[in-house]
Amino acid sequence: MTNLTHLTIAEALDALKKKDFTAKELTEAHVKATSEFRHLNAYVTETPEIAVEQAEASDKRRAKGEAGLLEGIPLAIKDLYCTKGVRTTASSKILENFIPTYDSTVSGNLMRDGAIMLGKTSLDEFAMGSSNTTSAYGNVINPWKRSTGDNADLVPGGSSGGSAAIVAARAAMGSTGTDTGGSIRQPASFCGIAGIKPTYGRCSRWGIIAFASSLDQAGPFARTVEDCAIMLQSMSGYDPKDSTSANQPVPDFRAALSGSIKGLRVGIPKEYNVDGLPAEIAKLWEQGKDWLRSEGAEIIDVSLPHSKYALPVYYILAPAECSSNLARYDGVRYGLRVEGKDLTETYEKTRAQGFGNEVKRRIMIGTYVLSAGYYDAYYTKAQKIRRLIAEDFAKAYEKCDVLLSPTAPSAAFAIGENEDDPVKMYLNDVFTIPASLAGLPGMSVPAGMSSDGLPLGLQIIGKPWDEATVLRVGHVIEKAAAITALPAMLMKKAA
Amino acid sequence: MDKATVKKVATLARLHVTEEEQEKYAAQLGGIFKWIEQMSEVNTDNVKPLSSVIDLPTPLRKDEVTDGGIQDDILANAPEAVEGFFVVPKVVE
């Protein structure tokens, strides 16, 4: 039998249809792979029994001719999505024993369409981080190692690090992430897989633990652009339970891949050519332009003049929203409680012991910028610049159809690097945050390898609601790059 | 940012912060806000603050009960619950 864990979702769906193997066999192969890659610490909670049970049910549905869009496909779910009866922690100690009594809309959509849940993946605590080193359940390790032989454990990126690492390790066919400032795109780039953050409002946020509500969006990770398209199809759609869910038609994303990009205008934001951009990343960006040009696209220089302010704006707005959202963790209705001598002390101790350092730091920033006397200088000012950033994109899109940039300013770094200086860590998201602030769809596609053998991604940013074009351009880059490299630990396994 | 400010913000955020942590936060947050200061370079006169990126009208629905009767679910994760209520430390002497 073929190596079931190396198939794409599209290939597995075809094979399941032809009865080459059952969903149970496919799932068991992934459950086995999950146990072999436990050292990556990608999961907070594995759910092998649920997976096998769901796979048996899936095989029955298929036999009755009731196969859904993702029938029998084993996926990993970020531990930020509430899952009925399965512990959901947000990688925080404060939710260590939280067992939701409902499913998030998006994970529910995937299960409705026949997907199988392998487990709940680790993330930066409450999705706050770019390295997956802020989880209360330990660091997640990237399956890739530098080819220089230093053998250092590398970060998978964050915040959706567990979701990205486990798909790169071929132990899940796809996974869900959330992206607030780059939390899907940057880990996809670091782990050598594809990931898309759709337009804000495309996927329901209902039942996904909130970080910064005006920015948070759900999206898929998979090893191919086509697989991302299939997953996004299932995850998208209007949900009356989320007041920011958009009642927009959802196009056939998979069908959109087959179109041509002849005549498509691809914008290159000149401000993304930042000081200190490593030469190999600049070169990859050039390569990306050439690939698109040779498929008939027109490359156009555009300007997004307020780009450099996107990071400071984000680090006002996201913490402000986080400090409001996380006010709910008070030790009364759910989550950890640490008793104090009175109610105030109970709150203060519960939150001090339940939250980790990065979360506390952001709550402090957010509380400060929302406090009397500072609100206008910081919060309102940031909201105004956010409008200017969004307008920059709207102006650029008068001249072009999509934008192309690197996904991140570096390949995966070693665990512990960038830890001492929060600002340096925040700079990881310099290319992803502007599109988040503007609510635009963005995708990272594996496009090359660094000189030390690590994957590098290119980012495609689209117009609002135009994930179809983003996916189509991503598909062209993926085909042109034709990357076949695998993490060394997988080659060893195969040998 | 000084220790007194950190202490005040921690109180507002209901976070217990030790003396040592006050010191650390003062330095770290000071660094972050120094970096954030660059926002002041941008002229935002006559710019309206943006709070929502999606330009869609707020959906309205009928004001009617669509959910309920799930008291057990609501209390299922409470650290302490008695007879249908959340239990909190005594707040009235």
Side-chain angles (χ1 to χ4, degrees):
Chain A
M1 203 186 291
T2 48
N3 193 344
L4 296 186
T5 60
H6 283 245
L7 297 173
T8 66
I9 293 174
E11 288 165 350
L13 285 170
D14 284 346
L16 284 164
K17 200 171 169 184
K18 288 191 292 179
K19 300 193 167 50
D20 290 351
F21 47 78
T22 63
K24 195 177 173 191
E25 286 165 331
L26 183 65
T27 300
E28 283 173 341
H30 284 87
V31 167
K32 184 164 170 276
T34 301
S35 65
E36 286 162 358
F37 287 102
R38 209 162 272 150
H39 59 282
L40 299 178
N41 196 33
Y43 285 103
V44 176
T45 308
E46 292 176 15
T47 58
E49 294 89 6
I50 291 174
V52 172
E53 219 172 275
Q54 286 177 333
E56 285 168 354
S58 169
D59 283 325
K60 281 185 196 145
R61 279 195 300 273
R62 189 175 286 281
K64 281 196 282 183
E66 293 167 1
L69 183 65
L70 283 159
E71 195 62 61
I73 300 299
L75 301 176
I77 305 294
K78 186 177 185 179
D79 206 20
L80 201 62
Y81 289 67
C82 286
T83 42
K84 190 175 179 177
V86 176
R87 181 169 82 127
T88 301
T89 69
S91 273
S92 181
K93 205 174 143 194
I94 213 161
L95 287 176
E96 192 170 7
N97 298 309
F98 177 61
I99 300 176
T101 53
Y102 52 87
D103 280 313
S104 76
T105 298
V106 168
S107 59
N109 287 351
L110 290 167
M111 301 304 140
R112 170 204 67 201
D113 288 339
I116 282 150
M117 179 170 78
L118 293 163
K120 305 292 297 290
T121 56
S122 185
L123 58 144
D124 278 298
E125 186 179 2
F126 282 104
M128 296 175 201
S130 309
S131 59
N132 220 124
T133 52
T134 74
S135 166
Y137 305 93
N139 298 334
V140 175
I141 295 165
N142 192 323
W144 290 88
K145 298 269 186 202
R146 289 181 183 130
S147 58
T148 51
D150 73 354
N151 211 36
D153 283 336
L154 306 178
V155 303
S159 68
S160 315
S163 286
I166 207 66
V167 171
R170 272 74 183 160
M173 307 200 89
S175 60
T176 63
T178 60
D179 192 313
T180 303
S183 285
I184 290 175
R185 291 161 285 164
Q186 183 251 22
S189 180
F190 279 17
C191 292
I193 60 172
I196 181 166
K197 177 199 95 80
T199 312
Y200 182 84
R202 179 64 93 187
C203 293
S204 169
R205 290 183 298 108
W206 193 82
I208 297 175
I209 295 171
F211 158 22
S213 304
S214 81
L215 296 155
D216 298 343
Q217 251 306 282
F221 289 102
R223 291 189 293 267
T224 66
V225 173
E226 183 180 30
D227 287 359
C228 282
I230 297 168
M231 282 185 68
L232 185 60
Q233 198 77 45
S234 170
M235 294 165 75
S236 298
Y238 176 59
D239 179 10
K241 287 192 282 197
D242 171 5
S243 64
T244 60
S245 164
N247 201 347
Q248 291 275 317
V250 181
D252 184 336
F253 293 129
R254 198 176 176 183
L257 299 180
S258 54
S260 148
I261 62 159
K262 203 164 166 27
L264 193 79
R265 298 166 306 166
V266 178
I268 307 297
K270 71 169 189 212
E271 290 80 6
Y272 284 31
N273 208 344
V274 292
D275 284 345
L277 185 69
E280 64 184 1
I281 290 184
K283 201 176 136 204
L284 182 72
W285 195 6
E286 284 304 317
Q287 176 70 75
K289 294 178 209 172
D290 287 345
W291 285 330
L292 297 180
R293 212 182 269 122
S294 69
E295 289 294 317
E298 190 187 343
I299 306 295
I300 294 168
D301 287 324
V302 296
S303 175
L304 302 170
H306 297 90
S307 294
K308 78 173 265 214
Y309 304 105
L311 264 90
V313 164
Y314 178 86
Y315 279 97
I316 297 288
L317 298 179
E321 295 185 29
C322 125
S323 77
S324 300
N325 271 326
L326 271 59
R328 74 190 71 189
Y329 302 101
D330 56 7
V332 173
R333 288 155 300 157
Y334 36 70
L336 178 78
R337 175 190 292 187
V338 180
E339 300 288 347
K341 66 177 188 315
D342 54 22
L343 189 59
T344 302
E345 202 183 277
T346 298
Y347 292 151
E348 290 183 344
K349 284 190 162 173
T350 296
R351 292 163 62 78
Q353 290 185 34
F355 293 135
N357 284 334
E358 182 62 27
V359 171
K360 282 192 251 189
R361 186 152 61 213
R362 297 206 196 182
I363 290 174
M364 296 283 289
I365 297 171
T367 305
Y368 179 70
V369 301
L370 292 175
S371 65
Y374 299 101
Y375 187 94
D376 282 336
Y378 289 114
Y379 186 70
T380 308
K381 179 83 181 179
Q383 283 188 311
K384 288 179 175 178
I385 303 178
R386 184 178 186 182
R387 180 175 299 280
L388 296 174
I389 289 167
E391 286 173 356
D392 283 351
F393 280 103
K395 275 180 211 141
Y397 284 136
E398 287 169 7
K399 286 166 63 183
C400 66
D401 305 300
V402 287
L403 299 165
L404 179 74
S405 80
T407 306
S410 74
F413 47 88
I415 290 173
E417 274 173 29
N418 301 336
E419 294 266 297
D420 46 337
D421 181 357
V423 171
K424 201 172 163 205
M425 185 66 96
Y426 298 168
L427 288 172
N428 262 290
D429 298 324
V430 62
F431 300 130
T432 49
I433 279 180
S436 294
L437 290 170
L440 300 170
M443 172 164 216
S444 180
V445 180
M449 304 299 287
S450 71
S451 57
D452 48 3
L454 297 176
L456 296 170
L458 285 175
Q459 175 181 228
I460 304 108
I461 301 169
K463 294 179 179 174
W465 314 113
D466 194 15
E467 292 85 359
T469 303
V470 171
L471 288 159
R472 188 182 310 141
V473 173
H475 194 48
V476 169
I477 292 175
E478 175 184 55
K479 276 191 291 185
I483 292 178
T484 54
L486 280 175
M489 64 177 71
L490 271 121
M491 315 235 275
K492 249 183 269 164
K493 202 187 147 215
Chain B
M1 181 168 296
D2 54 23
K3 270 171 69 179
T5 311
V6 169
K7 206 172 161 189
K8 187 180 153 226
V9 173
T11 304
L12 290 172
R14 298 290 182 270
L15 278 173
H16 176 74
V17 178
T18 63
E19 283 280 325
E20 197 186 320
E21 285 173 321
Q22 287 172 25
E23 202 80 59
K24 193 185 75 185
Y25 282 127
Q28 281 183 347
L29 300 191
I32 292 169
F33 279 102
K34 216 172 124 198
W35 170 68
I36 282 171
E37 277 307 317
Q38 55 178 303
M39 288 198 320
S40 62
E41 296 165 14
V42 184
N43 181 346
T44 51
D45 296 348
N46 308 315
V47 178
K48 261 176 60 190
L50 181 101
S51 53
S52 172
V53 285
I54 50 167
D55 203 11
L56 297 168
T58 304
L60 297 176
R61 59 168 170 78
K62 284 203 180 114
D63 186 15
E64 58 190 18
V65 176
T66 57
D67 203 353
I70 51 168
Q71 191 185 48
D72 290 348
D73 280 0
I74 304 270
L75 294 170
N77 281 286
E80 199 182 346
V82 170
E83 291 181 27
F85 292 95
F86 294 106
V87 178
V88 295
K90 195 172 166 187
V91 286
V92 184
E93 289 306 322

